[in-house]
Each structure stands twice: as structure tokens, then as C-alpha cells.
Amino acid sequence: MTVRCRIAPSPTGPLHIGTARTALFNLLFARHEGGTFILRLEDTDVARSTAAYEADILSGLHWLGIDWDEGPAMGELAERGPFGPYRQMARLESYRAAVEGLLSRDQAYECFCSTEQLAADRASQEAAGQPPRYIGRCAHLTAEQRAQRRAEHPAPVIRFRIPAGRVGFHDLVRGDVSIDTSALGGDLVIVRSDGTPLYHFTVCVDDATMGISHVIRGEDHLSNTPKHILLFRALGAEVPAFAHLPLILNPDRTKMSKRKSQTAVADYIDQGYIREALINHLALLGWSSGTDDELFSFDDLVERFDLSRVQQGGAIFDRERLDWLNGQWIRRLSDVELVERSLPFLRASLVDAETDSSLPTADDLLPLVPLVRERLPRLDAMGPLVDFLFLDHLSIEPTLLVPKRWDAATTIDALTEARRIIAATGETVFEAEELEPPLRALAETRGWKAGDLFMAIRVALTGRTATPPLFDTMVALGYARTLERLDGARLILDPATSGT
Ligand code: GLU
């Protein structure tokens, strides 16, 4: 069988983590099976769909590397695939033709019930403790009655007849599912009175037309599937296989929602998560490899992915695991790649600091990469780690300068002595191996903990307590700036101190 699967996002919000996960599982399945991955925009909810959300979804998926074999145009990329257009609002003609087919076979009918009638039906069902369902008032009108109603009510909705009986299917994740159609709410509206088709209908017409073999989607759609199966049958189409993926949950097992959790993929990108880590993390939201391995590249995932190892229970979104994966994948980037990806973050943090110094270039950042690579949980950590090198004026918090076990006088003493030793090292041999031994010896002779001395120097040079290794930091700053900053720090603690 040729595998054809799809992601069918509605552009009614930014790209959601759940949509990205579903898209990824579809893509992995398609790649593993040598099949085709299709992207279709379900934009028939005109009031809530926007071009901006559409752009966010397409560019977010593309950024993640979740690219489609068939789908709509994006920026410079042209529409691809033989079943276009891949936007539902551009496919209205095909829904119209499908409705005509259903009407002509009496699998659908016009319904003239007014809003008031439907509300009254619902109220009496509620009073009787029954679930709401359409009572079928218009289901069996004679041709004459229909003509009469049409004259009074020229804009009917179209309902699809839900036949009596049970619908069963084998879900590739959840196993056998069976439901009595009496629980489906009665005959289903598939076209609104303004002529626009509704989701359940368009999704089936498109899946049928596009030859979708596997519908892999979130568990929230499980209850829709019986309706879809009935629609596929009525359309004379082959019913695809279904796989419903578990919900994504917060660590407290509540549903991951926009209000409570960070759900927009763009926010993760803005915080410096990299695509390798996000893909790895998304893959583990409901799928496991069956081994203890945790790091998976996209290619590893393609090789191993299998719907039979998708779990039924909710998948916990564990931010700590994502952070860990991100650090791991950052370590695996080449120097050049890490520079390219982190430079925008560094530049943004310097712009935030309103520095008048010139912004660093890739060449400025490249030599620092070996010093910071292991210290980057996210790309946005680059700024705080190395920004001191690019700031003309360091603003130092005086309380940070004095180590916990020390007072200001000891700190001034220590910085003065350190300055003397560093100055004596001289500009020509200003290297980490030359700087470290005499400063360690200083701590020892004065009975200071080396950690305290180094922390005072670190804050004096960088304004921060977490930096690249201290002696490398000095070398990166250079001889003159190192001495200048030590002087500056002494002045902060004791404005009476003069240079040297
Ligand atoms: N447009 C639907 C959604 O965004 C697609 C559902 C489906 O995959 O069938 O939820």
C-alpha cells in the first residue's frame, strides 16, 4: 500500500506544540514507510483564520524541518503536488460537487429548522435528561413539502443522514473502537445556511480526494472518527486507517493549554531552543524507542519510528527534559553552526543593554565558542555569558563584587594584589597558563580561598558570577581591558582608591 498521510492545521492560532508533534509523527511515519507527507490548510472557519497564523504555522513547521511533499505555497516556495489547491477555501467547488452527490443519493437532505425550533428541541431534551440530538424533523419531507419550505426559507442547512447501527474501526494506537451511531447527535450539519461547508465534511472529502491512507491525529478527534467513517462510506471512498495520538499534558497531568502553558512553537524558538532538540523532544511526546536511548536525530527517528510504540496514555511535556536535550544538541553543533545560530541572540541582548559599542560579528564570536559550548542550555544564554566582552561600560552590582565570606576591605586588597600580579605578567605572555599559578599562589600566601579571590576578579571583569573559565576570560578581554576593569571595580568599592 502507498502511504499518504497529512497534517491539516486550521490557521486559527499560532503553531501549537501539539500540531507540531502531530505533524512530526505523520512525517516520520511517511518517511519510514517511503510514503508521502501532505500539508493542507483547513481555513473554512473564515472568522477566526488569519494570514498571519497561516504564515506562523507554515514557517514554524519549515523551521523545524517538517517539510511537506505536497502542500500550499510558502514565501518563495511554490505549491507542490497533484491534488492542489491545498487550502480548503480554494476547494469549495469540490465540496459543492460532493454535496450534490450525497443529496442525489438521499444520503443528505435540506433542513429548514429554525434556530428557535432547534433551541426548543435542545431544552426539552435537557429537561428529560437526554443528550442533545437532532430529532429529524426535516429528514423525511416529501418533494412537495420541501418545495414549500424552500419558498419560505430559502437558505437551508444540509444534513448528512447518520444511519442506525454501530460503527467500528481498528485504531492503530488505541485498538478496537466501536460506537452506536445513536450517540452521534443525530443527522449532521455538513453545509451551513450560507453555503459554507463544515469541518467533518471537508476533511473527509479532501482525505478521500487526496488519497490519504493514514489519518494520524490528536486524541481529541477520536470521537469524530465514527462520523468520518460514515462520511467516507457515503462518498464511496476507501476508509483510511486511523491512529489517534495521546494528549500532551503538563507535569501535573492537566491539559496543556494556551492559558496555562507555553504552547506556541515560536516562543520556544525565541528562547533559543534548537530544532534538533525540539524534534527529539516532540518525538518522545507519546512515542518511545523501546530502548534507554534518549538522543535521536531526525534520521534516527525515521529509522525507528513505528506507530505500534505510540502510547495510549497522556504524554507529559517535561520542560527539564527539553532543556537537557537542548544542551546536548547544542554541544553537537559545529563551531560555525553554533556561532551562526547564537549570534542573533547575543546581538539582541546587547541591543537590550543599549550599548553604544559596535555589535559583534561571527568572527568575534567564533573564538569564544569552545569556552561556552558546555555552558549553554539554550542559545539565549549566549548573551549573559559573553556580553561583557562587547560592552564599553560594565555596570557592576557592588554587592556582587564582595564574596560572601569577605568584606569590602579584603576585596579591595585582593583586587589590588591581583592587579599587581597580572600587570607583572605583562602583555607579551598574557596567557591562561601564565596567569593562573601566581594568582593561586597569592590566595595561598594570604590565606584566602582561591574560589573567593577568583570570584571577586570574575565579577570585576565581567559584572557576572557565571562566565567562561576565568583565565580564558582574561585572555579574551586582553591585557589592557583586564587591568582597566580591575581598576574600575576597586573604584566602585572605594572611590578613594587610585590606580595601581
Ligand atoms: N483542522 C483540524 C485541526 O486542526 C484537522 C483535524 C484532522 O486532522 O482531521 O484540528
Side-chain angles (χ1 to χ4, degrees):
M1 187 215 297
T2 37
V3 164
R4 290 179 57 81
C5 46
R6 66 5 177 225
I7 183 74
S10 300
T12 53
L15 178 61
H16 188 285
I17 281 286
T19 307
R21 188 274 311 255
T22 301
L24 176 65
F25 280 33
N26 274 282
L27 175 62
L28 293 174
F29 182 69
R31 290 286 172 273
H32 184 85
E33 301 291 334
T36 303
F37 173 60
I38 295 138
L39 188 143
R40 180 177 72 229
L41 287 164
E42 300 205 326
D43 56 354
T44 54
D45 184 349
V46 179
R48 291 170 58 228
S49 298
T50 72
Y53 289 143
E54 190 178 301
D56 183 84
I57 292 169
L58 296 181
S59 65
L61 290 173
H62 178 64
W63 183 91
L64 284 164
I66 302 179
D67 285 312
W68 43 97
D69 305 311
E70 295 177 18
M74 179 187 65
E76 312 266 278
L77 280 180
E79 175 182 295
R80 282 169 279 189
F83 296 102
Y86 292 89
R87 272 188 180 75
Q88 289 193 324
M89 284 308 283
R91 303 178 64 81
L92 295 178
E93 203 38 61
S94 72
Y95 310 130
R96 228 165 272 144
V99 170
E100 287 309 321
L102 292 181
L103 286 170
S104 70
R105 296 190 296 275
D106 195 34
Q107 289 165 312
Y109 59 86
E110 292 165 312
C111 168
F112 303 92
C113 293
S114 65
T115 323
E116 294 74 30
Q117 283 175 313
L118 295 173
D121 293 345
R122 208 167 309 126
S124 54
Q125 284 160 349
E126 220 166 88
Q130 292 163 354
R133 72 190 308 272
Y134 179 59
I135 61 168
R137 192 180 289 110
C138 298
H140 302 289
L141 300 180
T142 61
E144 206 175 308
Q145 287 170 319
R146 248 199 323 267
Q148 194 190 339
R149 299 281 155 84
R150 223 178 272 139
E152 297 157 4
H153 188 330
V157 302
I158 312 275
R159 286 187 189 268
F160 169 64
R161 287 188 200 282
I162 301 278
R166 292 192 79 80
V167 184
F169 64 100
H170 181 77
D171 188 275
L172 295 172
V173 173
R174 312 191 64 88
D176 290 333
V177 179
S178 163
I179 186 169
D180 195 293
T181 61
S182 63
L184 297 180
D187 295 343
L188 179 71
V189 178
I190 55 173
V191 181
R192 295 184 188 91
S193 60
D194 66 3
T196 53
L198 278 130
Y199 159 70
H200 294 300
F201 180 57
T202 55
V203 80
C204 294
V205 173
D206 286 343
D207 284 344
T209 313
M210 295 181 179
I212 299 301
S213 64
H214 291 75
V215 171
I216 303 169
R217 60 185 172 190
E219 192 188 290
D220 44 330
H221 286 290
L222 185 62
S223 61
N224 296 332
T225 299
K227 293 174 192 160
H228 295 181
I229 290 174
L230 294 172
L231 275 162
F232 281 118
R233 288 184 192 154
L235 291 165
E238 210 160 306
V239 179
F242 290 93
H244 287 90
L245 309 177
L247 291 179
I248 302 177
L249 305 175
N250 292 310
D252 64 2
R253 302 201 71 83
T254 55
K255 201 177 160 204
M256 223 184 155
S257 69
K258 232 180 356 210
R259 269 182 305 114
K260 284 186 55 179
S261 347
Q262 183 174 309
T263 55
V265 170
D267 291 340
Y268 290 87
I269 299 174
D270 289 346
Q271 288 170 349
Y273 289 98
I274 64 171
R275 68 175 65 84
E276 292 81 352
L278 279 168
I279 289 289
N280 195 154
H281 184 68
L282 290 171
L284 297 175
L285 288 176
W287 173 83
S288 67
S289 68
T291 68
D292 289 338
D293 301 344
E294 286 182 277
L295 279 182
F296 299 101
S297 67
F298 181 79
D299 291 343
D300 295 336
L301 292 167
V302 167
E303 196 184 312
R304 299 190 195 204
F305 190 78
D306 181 354
L307 284 172
S308 70
R309 273 205 300 271
V310 174
Q311 74 202 41
Q312 292 187 18
I316 306 282
F317 191 96
D318 178 352
R319 188 72 173 242
E320 276 174 34
R321 180 170 71 184
L322 172 60
D323 286 349
W324 180 80
L325 287 170
N326 207 51
Q328 293 297 317
W329 282 110
I330 283 177
R331 280 170 214 201
R332 286 163 175 77
L333 295 178
S334 71
D335 287 5
V336 169
E337 195 130 13
L338 182 48
V339 166
E340 193 180 301
R341 297 207 209 177
S342 59
L343 189 61
F345 287 89
L346 172 59
R347 296 177 77 126
S349 73
L350 289 167
V351 169
D352 285 349
E354 291 180 277
T355 169
D356 47 7
S357 46
S358 60
L359 291 174
T361 63
D363 286 343
D364 295 327
L365 188 52
L366 191 61
L368 304 173
V369 160
L371 307 181
V372 296
R373 175 187 294 285
E374 307 272 317
R375 297 166 191 233
L376 287 175
R378 305 193 316 218
L379 297 177
D380 66 354
M382 187 61 102
L385 271 178
V386 303
D387 59 357
F388 64 89
L389 281 166
F390 305 101
L391 290 168
D392 291 335
H393 308 288
L394 213 54
S395 69
I396 300 181
E397 178 59 48
T399 53
L400 278 187
L401 263 175
V402 181
K404 283 208 184 62
R405 283 181 288 256
W406 286 11
D407 54 18
T410 314
T411 310
I412 294 170
D413 186 12
L415 292 178
T416 308
E417 286 299 293
R419 189 205 191 278
R420 190 179 51 74
I421 288 169
I422 294 166
T425 309
E427 199 164 0
T428 42
V429 285
F430 199 67
E431 280 158 24
E433 307 77 61
E434 299 295 327
L435 290 161
E436 183 167 355
L439 287 169
R440 282 199 183 277
L442 168 67
E444 201 162 314
T445 33
R446 299 298 298 269
W448 295 326
K449 287 210 156 45
D452 290 335
L453 173 63
F454 294 170
M455 183 53 83
I457 299 174
R458 170 175 284 119
V459 175
L461 297 181
T462 67
R464 301 197 184 266
T465 51
T467 66
L470 179 62
F471 303 101
D472 295 314
T473 296
M474 291 185 196
V475 175
L477 268 173
Y479 179 75
R481 279 207 293 173
T482 299
L483 296 186
E484 232 170 70
R485 289 195 180 181
L486 288 169
D487 292 339
R490 285 187 303 159
L491 273 173
I492 289 172
L493 289 178
D494 178 7
T497 316
S498 57
T500 305

